[in-house]
Structures are given as structure tokens and as C-alpha cells.
Amino acid sequence: MIPYKLIAKKRDGGELTAAEINELIAAYLTGDFSDSQMAAFLMAAFLRGLSTSETAALTRAMTASGEVWDLSAIPGPKIDKHSTGGVGDKVSLVLAPWISACGVVVPMMSGRGLGHTGGTLDKLAAIPGFSTSLTKKRALSILKKTGVAMLAATPGVAPADRRMYALRDATGTVESIPLITASILSKKLAEGADGYVFDVKYGSGAFMPELPQAKKLAESLVNTAQAAGKKAVAVITAMDQPTGHAAGNACEVREAIDCLRTREPQDLFLITRPLAVEMLVLSGLVRSREKAVDRLEQTIDDGSAVDKLRALIKAQGGDPRVVDNPDLLPQAPYRHDVIAPKSGYIQRIDTRRSGWALVELGVGRKKVEDDVDLSAGLILEKKIGDRVKKGERIGEIMGQKRETFPLVADEITASLTIGSKKTTPLKLIHSRYDGRRWSVCH
Amino acid sequence: MIPYKLIAKKRDGGELTAAEINELIAAYLTGDFSDSQMAAFLMAAFLRGLSTSETAALTRAMTASGEVWDLSAIPGPKIDKHSTGGVGDKVSLVLAPWISACGVVVPMMSGRGLGHTGGTLDKLAAIPGFSTSLTKKRALSILKKTGVAMLAATPGVAPADRRMYALRDATGTVESIPLITASILSKKLAEGADGYVFDVKYGSGAFMPELPQAKKLAESLVNTAQAAGKKAVAVITAMDQPTGHAAGNACEVREAIDCLRTREPQDLFLITRPLAVEMLVLSGLVRSREKAVDRLEQTIDDGSAVDKLRALIKAQGGDPRVVDNPDLLPQAPYRHDVIAPKSGYIQRIDTRRSGWALVELGVGRKKVEDDVDLSAGLILEKKIGDRVKKGERIGEIMGQKRETFPLVADEITASLTIGSKKTTPLKLIHSRYDGRRWSVCH
């Protein structure tokens, strides 16, 4: 392979073969294709695009750069979910034990939070003793015994992605749908699951706020996963306001536990259940969506969903008593009311802005090396369409960094648009894509 | 400056300000803008293009990365020529002493040959004792005394270009007109001349074989040089066959000396004279093109052009006797006839192919570290439109590497298209561009 010829082929709009992409990634790992050459290739791919087969080949090659789990010794279908993330997005905490209670094996590798969105690993870290840094051996043993594991990507997973992501971050090549797809999927495919459900968010707090872009990303994820031989479905869900009321680490764990018992908060439940239905249908364990709903409802009614959460926490070294006594979660030493600045309906929330305010509070990270405050968070009692009165308490922020409270509270209220006309929020479940067609959800 | 923001601005088709480009190059030199970031920027610039003002700012910043000569202490107008290069292109060897004999100071920095085209420095190296590795101090002293110096770019010139060129070579970002322009001009502007004439070749042996591309490059060079405050004109000249008969190092020096005395070979003379006219007019030393021609012819008639060549060779440590006794130039130990493979007219020459054949002979380099054979070369006695007979000797190749002769001779004959219909070569001087308009040359 002559490296610059592959770069020039993409630069001129050509389509690389799978063999060429394999060579390119192999040479990148040995150093024969330098970081500078990769940076030029990534910019060419950013501007010229990658076809589905190129994206699939790139994904496979990136996955093959590291360890790939073989789950064949574990009985049962293996399905995972990936979310593009948002503020208050604790769906994974509800979904993983719930779907596992239905018999689906869930090998879920997640990331830590960075920027305005939280990360599942940070939320799990709020559970005393819970470890997400599992070796492959321990993770496979937990999966076999418990049917669910929630962990950080092991260091051996997709090393090519780690280097390429750092490079993209430095060279202005992050916001490319094929490159985002390859980065997400290269890690997900290493889990060795049979199928994947993609929760692609749209709205003011989403990575892709605009619906057309979110749909493009959803199509790219599903088409590429299917081209790589996996079952896949994507669902477009709302992120025009924080999901549920809680946005933080400990406070989101508490809300997720509630939801597995009480089906509240409603928006969290109504986003999570359809995703669970998709996973259950993909798994082949049920024959219809109706049967999937029945099975899911039953595991809440009979407590097996919450039992599975206890088992998961225990298996990963955490204190399972938090499930019945959430006061064992980290408690914030300080609290501060959030007050409505005027009267009217909450018409709109700049959710990204409120997410960045929470980063200031210590909920998330600006840089990967930042520490987070597990007790910090926001409880926003009002949602879009709710009426508020000037001076009324509409929520609270909490945590250790009380010096940030006035500014953070101001930013939270500034992220709300309050007006005289009542508006409705985005549809929680907008549509789904199965690789052949889009269908609107009702 | 946040590096990736500048990359993203160009990536999205924005126009960078001069201040942004200055920051980018300054950060590149300190290492705050990495090679990978530069590679991504160069690919974005390749695909999105650079405006004339961006190209001018980039050129200025690259020039300012190194030493810039101040020629103000040397009396007289300073004008240089740059050629995009070709096979048998010994124009500089004729032009520099000739125009200097007319009173124009010529501070000519040149390159070594790489690929299918020769380099002026290699040709000059064939003159016994001639040194092109001059310090700035010595070069300025020669320029002051002799009015002309022909040398390699000093190591302090445009270090940003040296790094960027190596990066472009590795990352598939060479063939971009704005980037080529900035690379050429950043070194040329460091000479500190008042004006530049660009000899942009077209035809089968040129860097840009197609006329439209050659014209684009000519416009870019002139517009950018003018935007950087220099006088500039470009002339499009023919490179559909080797210029003159000789293509090599010693043999081209011999032909250039002949031309300064006898005005032969005709095509070399008819390409060089109009370029000399442009330089003389740009210099302001003459009031019209007619006067320029008169002055130039006079320096050949009275021998002052050839005298200036002797003075130049002497000033740079060479043996000036070669001017009167070219047999003092390196002699090839072996010679081999080139035989016409069929009868008919020479209709076309694949000049690039014949140039690559000469590289095999040792005339040029495949890699920068290769040695050249100064005695090696081709004398092609026939030109496009000439009639040849099968078996007739149409030229010869010579040099030290006799083992390459059969293959090189075959490649030379294979580069000729011989047919029954007589064709005419490209116009030697196609057109000129002065920054405002194109005019066709008659």
C-alpha cells in the first residue's frame, strides 16, 4: 500500500475497498500510516463522505484493532442499546436490568460523561462500591451468572478508535456522520452482541439537535451495523428537555430505581419501554410487540426487574441496599432553590445550556481528566407546557460546590423560555428505522 | 487561537483572515499547531480552496518563517524568473546572465531536480568548481559585484514551507494550485526581488500538461505575487517536447552557452527571449517591448551576455573557460544511438515518459537523496513535425550507466508517436497574463 494513494483516492471522491481500508488501519497501528496521514484522510472523509460499505469496513477494521468478545459460551440472545446521549438520560440504568429480567443478555459498555451530557459510568459510580472497571474475564463471568454487565470499555477494545478520536478532536473532524458511526460501532461491535438498538436523540439537548441530522445518524448506525452482520434498529427520541426531573449522578440513579418500581417519571418510562420492546423483539424471545410489552410490564409487576438491578449491583461489587434505601447514595451537603424568574408557561428549554451549567456544578467534565461530584445535580420539577409563577420554587440544585450555585441557578433559569402561550414538548418517540424504512411511532 | 476552530472554518468553506493565517503558521513553528492539525488543514484547503488573499497571507507568513533578503543596498532593479519546469528546460542558464548583462540584478534561487524534470542546480553542478551552496553573505556580495547569483535556497529560507511540503508529499495534498502557489512564492519572495516573471509550461512534459490548469496556476502565481506587493507577469510556454535538443546536465550547459552566442537551438532562444523581454520591461529599464528586444539582441551581438556568464561562473568558484571550451564539462564515457523504430513524421512526444527514462539514466532523481550523473543525457536531433526513416539515427544517449542504455533508448523511442501525417508542435509562447488580463502572443 502506498499511503498517500489511498488518501488521494478518498480526496478525489473515490470509494475505498474493504481491503484498502483494512490495510490503512493496519498500517496506522504499526506506524506506517502516520497520524498526519490519518488526519488528512479523516478530513478527506469528512468532506467527501464515506459510503455505507466504506463505513462498515472502517468499523470492522477498527473493531479488529483490539479485543473482540466471544459471547457464544453464554446462553441466550445478546442485545445492547446505545444512546447518543443527553441531559438526564438515565435510560440505560432502567433498561439494562429490565430487559435482562426478560431473558436478554446485555453486555453494555458505556462511556464517561464529557461536555454537556452525562455519562452512564459516572451515574453507576454513585452506587457505593459499584465497579465499572472490569477485566474481560470478570465481565464475562458476571454476564454468564447475572445476564447483564455495565462496564467501561476495556483498554483492549478498539485502540484504533481511541487514537483516531483524539486526532479528530484536535483536527476538526468530529462532526462527520460516517466517522461518528465508525467510532460508536467499533466499540459496540467489540462487545460481541447479536444486535443493537440505537436511541438517537433530537432536540435542544441532543448531540444532533435537528431531526434531519438525527435521522441521518440513525440510518448510518443501522445500515452500518447491518452491513457488519448485526441486527439493528434505531429509535428517534426527544431530548428537548432533561429526561425525567433529575440531572446528575446519584439523583439519576434514585430516579431510575423509582422508575423500575413505579413507572414514574412518566417521560422516562415512555422513552425506555419502546426501546426495551425493540430489544426484546430483536432478541427473538417474543413474537410480537404486544407480547414484548406484556413481558416487560410483568417484570415490573412481579418485582423481577428491580431484583435484577439488585443482582447487577451486587455482582459488580456495589451495595444492593441502595435499591431499597436510596438515601445510601451520596448526599449533597448543600442545596439551593431554583426560582421562576417570571410567570407563564415553560415554552422551551435550552437543554444544552442547562447541561453546561451542570458541568460547572461538578456533574460532568470539561476535560477527560476532570473529577465529578457524584452528589451534584438538578431536580427540575417543571417540564415544557407547565405553568409557573414568578418567584415560585421550580426545582433545586445541589452538590458540594456551593460557590457555583448562584451562577448555575441563573443559567438554569436563563435556559427556560417562559411565555404566555402554552406549548407542547417534542414527541417522546418520534420514529423508528429498521434498515429498510422509517415508520412514525404513535 | 484555538487550532481546530481555524481548521473547521476552512473545512466549512470559510475565508481565514490574514491574522488567523499568521497565527496558524506561527503556532505551527512553535509546535502548538501539530503536523496532524496542519495535515487536516492542508486537506481542507485542498478541497475547499484558498482565496487570493488567503493564498497571499499564507505565502507571506511562510516567507516570514525564515530569513528574507534585503537587497536595498544593491543598486538597480531586481527581477527573477521562476519556471514550473520540464525536460531540457535550460532557460535559466541562458536568461540569468543575459538579463543581467542588460542591467537587471538577478537573485535566482533554484531547486534540484526531482522526478521527470531536471533542476537548474544539477545543471550548474556540471560546471567544474561552480558552487551553488552560497551563504547569504557571499550571495549578496556576488550579487553586488556581478549583478547575478544562481544558488540553492539557503537553509534559513521559508522553513515552514520545507515542513509543509514534506507533509503535503506524504498526505496527498500536493496538487492544489493555491498550495503550490504558496510553496513556490514563499521561497521566491525571500529573495527580496522587486518583481517576478513566471514561466508556466504546458504540454506533455509539464507539471500541468493541460492548458486550462496551466493558466489557472499562472493566474494564481501572478495574483498572489501582486497581492504580496510584487510586480509579476506570467507567460505560458510549450513543453510538448524537450526544449532544444539536449536533456541532461553537462549537455544542457553546453547548449545554453551555444544559445547565448548563436541564438540556437531556435526553440530555446524563442522561449527565452520573450521571458527576458518581460523581465526587462518589469524592471523599468526600458520603455517598450521593442526597446527590450533591441537591448537583448545587442548584448548577444557585442558578446556582453556571454561575458556575464563567464563572470557569473568565476564569481561562484567555477571554471569560466568552459564558456569557450565546453569540452571541459564532464564527458560521458559511453554513448548509444537512438534509432527510429519506424518511418514517418514525429507527431507527438510523451515528454514526461522520456523524462522518467532519463532519470533511469542518472540525469535526475527518484528520491531527494539520489546522486545524479552529470555527464548523462539525451541529444534528440529530431523535433515534432520532423520526418524520420526507420533505422535512422535520430539522437543519442550518454552517461556512465551503460547497463541502462538499451532500456532507456527503448523508452525514448516508445515516447515518440510516429505517423504518416505531419503535425505541428504547440505554440512556443501561448499567452501572457499580467494580473488583469490574458493576451495571446503572436
Side-chain angles (χ1 to χ4, degrees):
Chain A
M1 179 200 66
I2 299 170
Y4 81 82
K5 289 204 173 168
L6 295 189
I7 303 172
K9 188 173 178 185
K10 178 43 60 190
R11 177 197 77 194
D12 296 339
E15 184 174 21
L16 300 191
T17 66
E20 287 172 331
I21 288 174
N22 287 342
E23 275 195 273
L24 190 154
I25 295 295
Y28 183 52
L29 293 168
T30 61
D32 291 335
F33 195 78
S34 70
D35 273 340
S36 298
Q37 290 175 320
M38 182 57 87
F41 174 78
L42 291 168
M43 181 57 81
F46 187 106
L47 288 171
R48 291 294 196 177
L50 294 175
S51 69
T52 299
S53 52
E54 284 178 308
T55 309
L58 182 62
T59 301
R60 277 177 192 270
M62 286 163 69
T63 299
S65 74
E67 68 180 35
V68 181
W69 290 10
D70 176 1
L71 304 184
S72 59
I74 300 168
K78 292 94 191 172
I79 308 287
D80 190 18
K81 178 219 69 156
H82 177 82
S83 162
T84 57
V87 178
D89 176 13
K90 72 278 296 171
V91 168
S92 291
L93 303 182
V94 182
L95 187 62
W98 193 9
I99 200 77
S100 170
C102 298
V104 177
V105 177
V106 184
M108 188 181 281
M109 283 190 199
S110 301
R112 302 204 300 169
L114 186 64
H116 78 283
T117 66
T120 298
L121 295 184
D122 295 319
K123 295 168 197 177
L124 291 168
I127 300 171
F130 195 96
S131 170
T132 54
S133 301
L134 306 182
T135 61
K136 178 180 167 188
K137 194 179 161 194
R138 176 137 182 249
L140 292 181
S141 146
I142 291 171
L143 264 185
K144 196 162 188 174
K145 201 175 108 191
T146 318
V148 54
M150 298 183 79
L151 66 152
T154 52
V157 164
D161 174 65
R162 206 165 305 122
R163 283 180 57 198
M164 287 165 74
Y165 192 84
L167 203 53
R168 286 168 58 211
D169 198 39
T171 60
T173 48
V174 169
E175 303 90 343
S176 151
I177 284 180
L179 296 179
I180 291 165
T181 300
S183 178
I184 290 173
L185 285 185
S186 65
K187 287 169 290 194
K188 279 283 155 190
L189 295 192
E191 293 171 355
D194 313 315
Y196 297 92
V197 172
F198 300 104
D199 176 10
V200 180
K201 308 284 190 191
Y202 77 123
S204 65
F207 180 61
M208 297 276 182
E210 301 304 323
L211 186 59
Q213 283 297 99
K215 290 179 87 165
K216 273 190 192 165
L217 177 57
E219 289 173 0
S220 178
L221 286 166
V222 169
N223 294 341
T224 306
Q226 291 183 349
K230 301 293 183 179
K231 301 180 198 176
V233 167
V235 181
I236 303 282
T237 70
M239 182 37 69
D240 56 335
Q241 54 186 332
T243 303
H245 298 291
N249 295 303
C251 62
E252 288 196 45
V253 173
R254 182 187 282 262
E255 195 169 59
I257 297 167
D258 276 355
C259 187
L260 270 183
R261 276 216 180 79
T262 67
R263 301 180 172 87
E264 297 280 348
Q266 200 188 31
D267 62 336
L268 173 59
F269 185 77
L270 292 180
I271 284 174
T272 308
R273 195 178 60 182
L275 292 168
V277 167
E278 296 294 345
M279 289 174 79
L280 210 41
V281 171
L282 268 198
S283 77
L285 290 180
V286 295
R287 301 215 166 220
S288 70
R289 314 177 75 74
E290 293 68 29
K291 289 226 159 68
V293 171
D294 289 348
R295 181 93 186 83
L296 284 161
E297 293 294 345
Q298 188 194 331
T299 60
I300 292 188
D301 290 338
D302 66 15
S304 56
V306 110
D307 289 346
K308 183 58 74 135
L309 177 60
R310 271 192 216 91
L312 165 66
I313 292 173
K314 196 170 169 209
Q316 295 196 211
D319 183 348
R321 293 176 302 160
V322 298
V323 173
D324 303 289
N325 183 7
D327 289 343
L328 293 173
L329 293 166
Q331 299 291 317
Y334 308 110
R335 291 170 180 266
H336 182 95
D337 286 348
V338 178
I339 303 296
K342 58 188 279 198
S343 296
Y345 292 100
I346 297 182
Q347 296 176 315
R348 210 187 147 263
I349 301 180
D350 182 346
T351 311
R352 178 177 286 258
R353 183 173 182 176
S354 64
W356 277 112
L358 295 176
V359 171
E360 292 298 328
L361 199 63
V363 164
R365 293 180 184 79
K366 282 182 226 173
K367 303 189 298 291
V368 282
E369 62 273 22
D370 290 348
D371 282 329
V372 300
D373 175 1
L374 297 171
S375 75
L378 162 73
I379 307 294
L380 187 61
E381 283 150 16
K382 303 290 182 179
K383 311 278 291 181
I384 292 171
D386 286 350
R387 195 170 165 74
V388 299
K389 264 196 184 146
K390 181 174 176 171
E392 177 191 7
R393 179 184 179 282
I394 56 173
E396 60 176 1
I397 53 176
M398 57 217 174
Q400 295 167 4
K401 294 165 72 178
R402 75 195 299 185
E403 72 282 6
T404 67
F405 286 180
L407 188 70
V408 172
D410 279 356
E411 278 293 296
I412 300 292
T413 52
S415 73
L416 308 175
T417 305
I418 298 170
S420 57
K421 215 178 133 197
K422 180 169 170 153
T423 59
T424 51
L426 292 180
K427 276 182 72 174
L428 286 173
I429 304 288
H430 182 274
S431 48
R432 69 187 284 279
Y433 177 72
D434 63 6
R436 283 165 303 142
R437 61 190 192 89
W438 280 97
S439 44
V440 175
C441 302
H442 301 289
Chain B
M1 180 200 64
I2 299 170
Y4 81 83
K5 291 205 173 170
L6 294 189
I7 302 171
K9 188 172 177 185
K10 178 41 64 190
R11 177 197 76 195
D12 297 339
E15 184 175 21
L16 300 190
T17 65
E20 287 171 332
I21 288 173
N22 287 341
E23 275 195 273
L24 190 154
I25 295 295
Y28 183 53
L29 293 169
T30 61
D32 291 335
F33 196 78
S34 70
D35 273 341
S36 298
Q37 290 174 319
M38 182 57 87
F41 174 78
L42 290 169
M43 182 58 81
F46 187 107
L47 288 171
R48 291 295 197 174
L50 295 175
S51 69
T52 298
S53 51
E54 285 179 307
T55 310
L58 182 61
T59 301
R60 276 177 194 271
M62 287 163 69
T63 299
S65 74
E67 69 180 33
V68 181
W69 290 10
D70 177 1
L71 304 184
S72 59
I74 299 169
K78 292 96 192 175
I79 308 287
D80 190 17
K81 178 220 68 157
H82 177 81
S83 163
T84 59
V87 178
D89 176 13
K90 72 278 297 169
V91 168
S92 291
L93 303 182
V94 182
L95 188 62
W98 193 8
I99 199 77
S100 168
C102 298
V104 177
V105 176
V106 184
M108 188 181 282
M109 283 189 198
S110 301
R112 301 204 302 168
L114 186 63
H116 77 284
T117 64
T120 297
L121 295 185
D122 295 319
K123 294 167 197 177
L124 290 169
I127 300 172
F130 195 96
S131 170
T132 55
S133 301
L134 306 181
T135 60
K136 178 179 166 188
K137 192 177 161 196
R138 176 136 180 250
L140 293 181
S141 142
I142 291 171
L143 264 186
K144 196 160 187 175
K145 201 175 108 193
T146 318
V148 54
M150 298 183 79
L151 66 152
T154 52
V157 164
D161 175 65
R162 206 164 305 122
R163 284 180 57 198
M164 288 165 72
Y165 192 84
L167 203 53
R168 286 168 58 209
D169 199 37
T171 61
T173 48
V174 168
E175 304 89 344
S176 150
I177 284 180
L179 296 179
I180 292 166
T181 300
S183 178
I184 291 173
L185 284 185
S186 65
K187 288 170 290 194
K188 279 283 156 188
L189 295 192
E191 294 171 355
D194 312 315
Y196 297 91
V197 171
F198 300 105
D199 176 9
V200 180
K201 307 285 190 190
Y202 78 125
S204 65
F207 181 61
M208 298 277 182
E210 301 304 323
L211 186 60
Q213 283 297 97
K215 288 180 89 167
K216 273 191 193 162
L217 178 56
E219 288 172 0
S220 178
L221 286 165
V222 169
N223 293 340
T224 307
Q226 291 183 350
K230 301 292 182 180
K231 301 181 197 173
V233 167
V235 180
I236 304 281
T237 70
M239 182 40 67
D240 56 336
Q241 56 186 332
T243 302
H245 298 291
N249 295 303
C251 64
E252 287 196 44
V253 173
R254 184 188 280 261
E255 194 169 60
I257 296 168
D258 275 355
C259 187
L260 270 182
R261 275 218 181 81
T262 67
R263 300 179 173 88
E264 296 281 348
Q266 199 187 32
D267 61 337
L268 172 60
F269 185 76
L270 292 181
I271 284 175
T272 308
R273 195 178 61 184
L275 292 167
V277 167
E278 296 294 344
M279 290 174 79
L280 209 43
V281 170
L282 268 198
S283 78
L285 289 179
V286 295
R287 304 219 161 214
S288 70
R289 313 177 76 75
E290 292 70 28
K291 289 227 160 66
V293 172
D294 290 347
R295 181 95 186 79
L296 285 161
E297 294 293 345
Q298 187 195 332
T299 60
I300 292 189
D301 290 337
D302 66 15
S304 56
V306 111
D307 289 346
K308 182 58 72 128
L309 176 60
R310 270 191 217 93
L312 165 67
I313 292 173
K314 196 172 170 207
Q316 295 195 214
D319 183 348
R321 292 176 305 159
V322 299
V323 174
D324 303 290
N325 182 8
D327 290 342
L328 294 172
L329 293 166
Q331 299 291 317
Y334 308 110
R335 289 168 183 268
H336 182 95
D337 285 348
V338 177
I339 303 295
K342 58 188 279 197
S343 295
Y345 292 100
I346 297 181
Q347 295 175 317
R348 210 186 146 261
I349 300 180
D350 183 343
T351 311
R352 178 177 287 256
R353 182 173 182 176
S354 63
W356 277 112
L358 295 175
V359 171
E360 293 299 327
L361 198 64
V363 165
R365 293 180 185 79
K366 283 182 222 172
K367 304 190 297 290
V368 281
E369 61 272 22
D370 291 346
D371 280 328
V372 300
D373 174 1
L374 297 172
S375 74
L378 162 72
I379 307 294
L380 186 62
E381 283 150 18
K382 304 289 179 179
K383 311 278 293 182
I384 292 172
D386 285 350
R387 195 169 166 72
V388 298
K389 263 196 185 144
K390 183 175 175 172
E392 178 190 7
R393 178 184 180 282
I394 57 173
E396 63 176 359
I397 53 176
M398 57 215 174
Q400 294 167 3
K401 295 166 70 179
R402 72 195 300 185
E403 72 282 5
T404 67
F405 286 1
L407 188 70
V408 171
D410 279 357
E411 278 293 296
I412 299 293
T413 52
S415 72
L416 308 176
T417 305
I418 298 171
S420 58
K421 214 181 134 197
K422 180 170 171 153
T423 59
T424 51
L426 292 180
K427 276 182 72 176
L428 286 173
I429 304 288
H430 181 274
S431 47
R432 69 188 285 279
Y433 177 71
D434 63 7
R436 282 165 304 145
R437 63 190 191 87
W438 279 97
S439 44
V440 174
C441 301
H442 301 288

